[in-house]
Amino acid sequence: MNVPNLKPKDFTSDVTPVWCPGCGDFHVLMSITRALAELGRPPEDIAVISGIGCSSRIPAYTNCYGFHGVHGRSLSLAAGLKIARPDLTVLAMSGDGDGFSIGGNHFLHACRRNVDMTYIVMDNRVYGMTKGQPSPTTEPDWDSALSPGGTGLSPFHPLVIALASGANFVAREFSGNIKGCTKTIVEAVNHPGFSFVEILSPCVTFRPDEKEWKNQVHGASVPETDDPARAARRIMTDDGMNTGILYRGQRKPYFASVKNTFGEIAPLERAFEV
Ligand code: SF4
Ligand code: MG
């Protein structure tokens, strides 16, 4: 059911965020509540599911149903919920450490399964909550107290992985562009299947260099496509700071093709009796 005239504050809880002043996640929260107001579904029709990390505090700051899960498991929780309750709008939230390291395998298979939900990863290329370790998306030469001289490791490329694994909607935004983030989140939720949005969200405490992102992000010069081959070609020229929707696929969502999801347990138990 759609409710007219919903406002972002209708989706905001009375819990005060504990993020550091200037953290990009404040802007992501604003974009999410604006997008939800625009989508027009009441808070009780929406579930916000997260893992562990600074960004994963988001469920507490919204007025929707929420679940602050365990490390790397936001997608498995969210997929189970969406399959059991297809009537809900389900958003899964994560950070780059939580989502691409511990949750990396879940990411691959969530893209492949194509359950109809939206996955938003606040990527700051660092483990913020545990005080600044390099994450899977950290640049190889990022020099810090915990990685002197840099890790020398090639970063994980979330958009490449999402596209290659079968995500049905792939986009990147910058947290400081609230209008762009809001629009892309609305599009991601409305698109059937598994939608992935990477939001570059600076960690001002452990990566103060990321304050420069506002001067470095730029709209992609190539329009979005529904052709995975064209999307792959565009990704190959990606400098990591391109923003906008990259790919909007046509695969049918998982739940639409599954019959008899709720089977009887007793016959199954009997089949496994020894
Ligand atoms: Fe944000 Fe970084 Fe502070 Fe965490 S440590 S709240 S990511 S600025
Ligand atoms: Mg992080």
Side-chain angles (χ1 to χ4, degrees):
M1 183 187 69
N2 272 45
V3 178
N5 302 323
L6 285 168
K7 301 280 184 288
K9 67 175 170 43
D10 296 319
F11 297 90
T12 308
S13 78
D14 54 6
V15 178
T16 304
V18 295
W19 293 316
C20 310
C23 176
D25 294 352
F26 282 103
H27 290 136
V28 179
L29 177 62
M30 286 170 72
S31 300
I32 288 167
T33 55
R34 286 184 189 196
L36 292 175
E38 203 170 306
L39 284 159
R41 300 197 73 191
E44 61 268 25
D45 286 357
I46 295 157
V48 182
I49 313 292
S50 71
I52 297 288
C54 294
S55 54
S56 286
R57 296 180 190 275
I58 272 198
Y61 305 146
T62 76
N63 219 9
C64 311
Y65 283 109
F67 197 119
H68 190 170
V70 294
H71 235 145
R73 303 301 193 272
S74 63
L75 285 173
S76 38
L77 282 163
L81 176 61
K82 181 66 187 183
I83 290 166
R85 287 286 308 271
D87 54 308
L88 296 178
T89 294
V90 175
L91 306 180
M93 305 282 164
S94 194
D96 44 296
D98 181 61
F100 302 143
S101 185
I102 299 167
N105 195 35
H106 291 286
F107 181 42
L108 301 183
H109 294 287
C111 294
R112 180 175 70 85
R113 288 192 188 102
N114 202 30
V115 173
D116 185 27
M117 60 191 197
T118 298
Y119 186 36
I120 296 171
V121 175
M122 285 149 265
D123 189 353
N124 51 23
R125 303 179 183 170
V126 72
Y127 282 90
M129 197 180 74
T130 51
K131 304 210 177 298
Q133 298 89 347
S135 84
T137 51
T138 302
E139 304 85 336
D141 57 353
W142 181 60
D143 188 27
S144 72
L146 295 174
S147 58
T151 63
L153 297 170
S154 293
F156 184 93
H157 196 316
L159 271 60
V160 171
I161 304 295
L163 185 69
S165 305
N168 216 28
F169 180 103
V170 180
R172 181 192 287 128
E173 287 295 344
F174 168 57
S175 59
N177 180 1
I178 295 170
K179 204 171 159 190
C181 286
T182 303
K183 184 168 180 300
T184 295
I185 293 168
V186 168
E187 299 270 338
V189 172
N190 282 335
H191 191 70
F194 184 79
S195 295
F196 170 60
V197 184
E198 176 192 36
I199 301 186
L200 299 174
S201 178
C203 172
V204 294
T205 299
F206 294 105
R207 296 290 311 256
D209 53 308
E210 292 175 350
K211 290 178 189 168
E212 273 306 298
W213 278 358
K214 63 178 181 299
N215 301 316
Q216 295 168 353
V217 290
H218 51 89
S221 54
V222 195
E224 68 172 78
T225 177
D226 61 0
D227 175 1
R230 287 191 63 195
R233 278 199 294 279
R234 181 178 135 185
I235 280 182
M236 297 330 278
T237 59
D238 181 20
D239 63 359
M241 305 307 278
N242 280 321
T243 57
I245 298 168
L246 169 72
Y247 175 69
R248 220 188 277 250
Q250 307 295 330
R251 291 175 63 211
K252 278 192 180 167
Y254 174 79
F255 73 86
S257 63
V258 173
K259 304 263 190 309
N260 301 323
T261 305
F262 301 100
E264 288 293 324
I265 295 291
L268 199 60
E269 284 177 342
R270 277 198 297 277
F272 280 88
E273 271 172 15
V274 288

